[in-house]
Amino acid sequence: MRNVSAQPRPILRLVRRLFVGFVLVSLLVVGGTAFRVWQVARIDDREHADVVVVLGAAQYAGKPSKVLEARLRKAKSLYEEGVASYVVTGGGRRAGDRFTEAEAGRTWLVNQGVPRDRVIDVGEGNDTLGTIRAVATEVKRRGWESAVIVSDPWHSLRARTMAHDAGLEAWTSPTHSGPIVQTRETQARYIFRETAALLYYRATNASADGIALDGEVG
């Protein structure tokens, strides 16, 4: 007599195959996204644009954090090279702050020699998505449409994706200095977090605040 119990049931085989397929597809999606985060982080596009956009990061009583200062130095360099005629600083204020991230960025740039009338501060947004949407609204209101986005390398793909969705023609010129790019361990950690944040945004069209440490990453 044949032992029926030894034969896997058809429904069980189907469930196993579906599970294995789901795992494989998930790994491909996550791995492919992580590779794109790493790949775009290596692109330094200095093609002429209407504006250079500096995404905000932490500031302390109007003084940029090291993360934000690295972004501002890169933006100043791009402005001086003629990549764009204007610099837009973005970022709102946290609870208890006297200054917005945008104001801190504007003050730093002006103190470093960038003409005041060439710096536009947009003090809205407490995460990447909110900042980019506010910046895009202001940029388009002035009749412009293209932007070079300055942020940290691993943040570049997510920022560029959000800028495109907000109606800007955008490319990236990331920083290559500052605490976020100092060690391989730090780089790997931020690549992982940016991969999760980008997948979350693509799935929900919402901010991944808390997943990608937006207070520091932008």
Side-chain angles (χ1 to χ4, degrees):
M1 181 176 179
R2 189 174 61 174
N3 186 357
V4 177
S5 62
Q7 300 294 324
R9 296 178 181 179
I11 187 66
L12 182 59
R13 288 200 301 268
L14 176 61
V15 170
R16 286 175 178 172
R17 288 173 182 173
L18 288 174
F19 177 75
V20 171
F22 174 78
V23 170
L24 290 175
V25 170
S26 298
L27 289 174
L28 286 173
V29 170
V30 172
T33 302
F35 175 76
R36 285 292 292 156
V37 169
W38 174 84
Q39 186 180 49
V40 173
R42 299 167 62 87
I43 298 173
D44 189 356
D45 197 334
R46 295 166 183 253
E47 183 179 345
H48 182 76
D50 293 320
V51 295
V52 171
V53 173
V54 186
L55 294 182
Q59 58 82 32
Y60 308 104
K63 181 180 179 181
S65 62
K66 291 183 179 179
V67 171
L68 181 53
E69 184 175 337
R71 299 178 187 184
L72 293 166
R73 290 188 183 279
K74 183 60 178 286
K76 177 176 179 285
S77 174
L78 294 174
Y79 170 79
E80 292 174 342
E81 291 175 17
V83 171
S85 299
Y86 292 88
V87 180
V88 177
T89 58
R93 61 165 55 88
R94 304 282 173 171
D97 284 351
R98 292 170 50 209
F99 303 93
T100 65
E101 295 167 358
E103 288 171 333
R106 177 201 65 197
T107 299
W108 189 95
L109 288 168
V110 171
N111 288 342
Q112 294 294 317
V114 179
R116 175 64 187 86
D117 62 352
R118 296 290 174 166
V119 183
I120 302 162
D121 60 292
V122 180
E124 299 177 43
N126 289 320
D127 55 35
T128 303
L129 185 58
T131 298
I132 285 182
R133 285 177 173 172
V135 166
T137 296
E138 178 62 21
V139 168
K140 290 187 289 185
R141 185 185 71 80
R142 292 172 179 258
W144 299 325
E145 59 184 20
S146 61
V148 175
I149 298 177
V150 176
S151 189
D152 309 308
W154 330 113
H155 190 217
S156 293
L157 178 58
R158 182 161 62 103
R160 189 182 73 181
T161 300
M162 291 177 171
H164 286 167
D165 290 348
L168 291 179
E169 182 183 357
W171 44 95
T172 57
S173 184
T175 64
H176 291 288
S177 62
I180 289 178
V181 296
Q182 285 182 350
T183 67
R184 290 187 181 276
E185 291 77 12
T186 301
Q187 294 172 21
R189 179 162 58 94
Y190 276 98
I191 289 173
F192 172 79
R193 293 186 178 188
E194 280 298 322
T195 298
L198 181 56
L199 289 171
Y200 181 86
Y201 170 72
R202 284 176 169 166
T204 65
N205 201 35
S207 172
D209 192 18
I211 295 177
L213 296 181
D214 278 322
E216 275 298 313
V217 181

